[in-house]
Amino acid sequence: MIPNVVRGGRLAGLMNYLVGPGRANEHENQRLIAGDDRVTFAYAPGTELSKYDAFEIAAILDAPRKLHGTEVAKPVYAKDEVAGGFLTDEQGKKIKVGSTPTHVWHCSLSLAASEGAVSDSQWKSIAESFVEKMGFIDPDGAKSSRWVAVHHGASKNGNDHIHLVVQMVREDGTKAKTHNDFHRAQVACRELENEYNLRSLESSVTQQQGVRGRTGGA
């Protein structure tokens, strides 16, 4: 199982993409698989999702960030448009020119095409276990992140997969930990493969870095 992690700041845009038709009308039966209790209270797992539902779910996920006013962002540095490298000041430090929001954590979990499709109930268990392994769930609730898992059919290559969307501002207004999250996602997938008897699909660091920043709406 291969995880593809991307961070962004367009929560409503991402949800709209996930329940939409896709870039080549490949999405079908767009439905809720699992999520935070607040999400599943409003939308039961298995519910087919409309664009209206997508915006409603985005609002539920984004509520802690708006309530606390917490900003999650990464710096943007000046680049040399010709050489392609970063520009530096007299002390050799990169020159910061702004920041970009990263409060939306988006991860797809994809199976091998030869694996076929797994049931929604199994995907639900996998999704719940994955967010726990990533440290997004606090047993006491205060430091939990709101999240949702969506299924919209196999990829164009026939890979069954789900998308997880996680809010990086936790219930108490603090920021979720994302340090080394690309590697931690790989480790979690290796564990889930063993737990659910799934085919092991190792994605290299190069492959993982190559897809960073590419997402439909995040």
Side-chain angles (χ1 to χ4, degrees), residues 60-216:
I60 294 172
L61 297 181
D62 215 20
R65 182 182 70 91
K66 290 187 174 180
L67 174 64
H68 296 287
T70 306
E71 293 186 5
V72 183
K74 68 177 180 180
V76 175
Y77 299 103
K79 280 190 172 183
D80 186 322
E81 298 298 333
V82 177
F86 290 108
L87 297 176
T88 57
D89 59 19
E90 295 178 352
Q91 285 74 42
K93 296 181 179 180
K94 292 185 291 186
I95 302 171
K96 182 179 177 180
V97 294
S99 61
T100 184
T102 55
H103 57 270
V104 182
W105 195 86
H106 173 205
C107 179
S108 62
L109 299 178
S110 182
L111 303 179
S114 59
E115 193 91 53
V118 303
S119 66
D120 282 10
S121 61
Q122 186 168 354
W123 269 129
K124 178 177 182 293
S125 297
I126 291 172
E128 291 172 343
S129 182
F130 181 78
V131 293
E132 288 184 5
K133 291 177 184 293
M134 291 300 297
F136 295 139
I137 305 300
D138 173 24
D140 296 327
K143 294 190 181 299
S144 284
S145 291
R146 298 189 183 189
W147 66 281
V148 68
V150 175
H151 195 296
H152 56 200
S155 70
K156 63 181 180 180
N157 293 322
N159 306 85
D160 193 21
H161 67 285
I162 59 171
H163 291 262
L164 293 106
V165 182
V166 187
Q167 169 60 253
M168 290 293 93
V169 178
R170 300 184 288 203
E171 292 298 323
D172 63 354
T174 59
K175 300 176 183 179
K177 296 179 180 179
T178 57
H179 177 69
N180 209 24
D181 57 343
F182 293 91
H183 173 69
R184 290 191 290 116
Q186 293 282 353
V187 172
C189 282
R190 300 293 80 77
E191 293 175 355
L192 289 169
E193 287 166 353
N194 291 327
E195 293 170 14
Y196 290 91
N197 195 30
L198 299 171
R199 186 185 301 276
S200 178
L201 288 175
E202 293 284 357
S203 61
S204 68
V205 173
T206 301
Q207 289 175 319
Q208 187 67 28
Q209 292 177 340
V211 296
R212 290 176 64 176
R214 296 189 303 178
T215 181

Side-chain angles (χ1 to χ4, degrees), residues 19-95:
V19 307
R23 296 187 179 90
N25 293 314
E26 72 275 20
H27 296 174
E28 59 182 15
N29 191 18
Q30 299 90 321
R31 61 196 184 277
L32 182 74
I33 292 296
D36 178 84
D37 289 345
R38 298 161 188 80
V39 175
T40 56
F41 178 79
Y43 300 92
T47 299
E48 189 168 346
L49 300 172
S50 67
K51 287 193 174 184
Y52 173 82
D53 298 330
F55 285 113
E56 286 291 304
I57 292 173
I60 294 172
L61 297 181
D62 215 20
R65 182 182 70 91
K66 290 187 174 180
L67 174 64
H68 296 287
T70 306
E71 293 186 5
V72 183
K74 68 177 180 180
V76 175
Y77 299 103
K79 280 190 172 183
D80 186 322
E81 298 298 333
V82 177
F86 290 108
L87 297 176
T88 57
D89 59 19
E90 295 178 352
Q91 285 74 42
K93 296 181 179 180
K94 292 185 291 186
I95 302 171

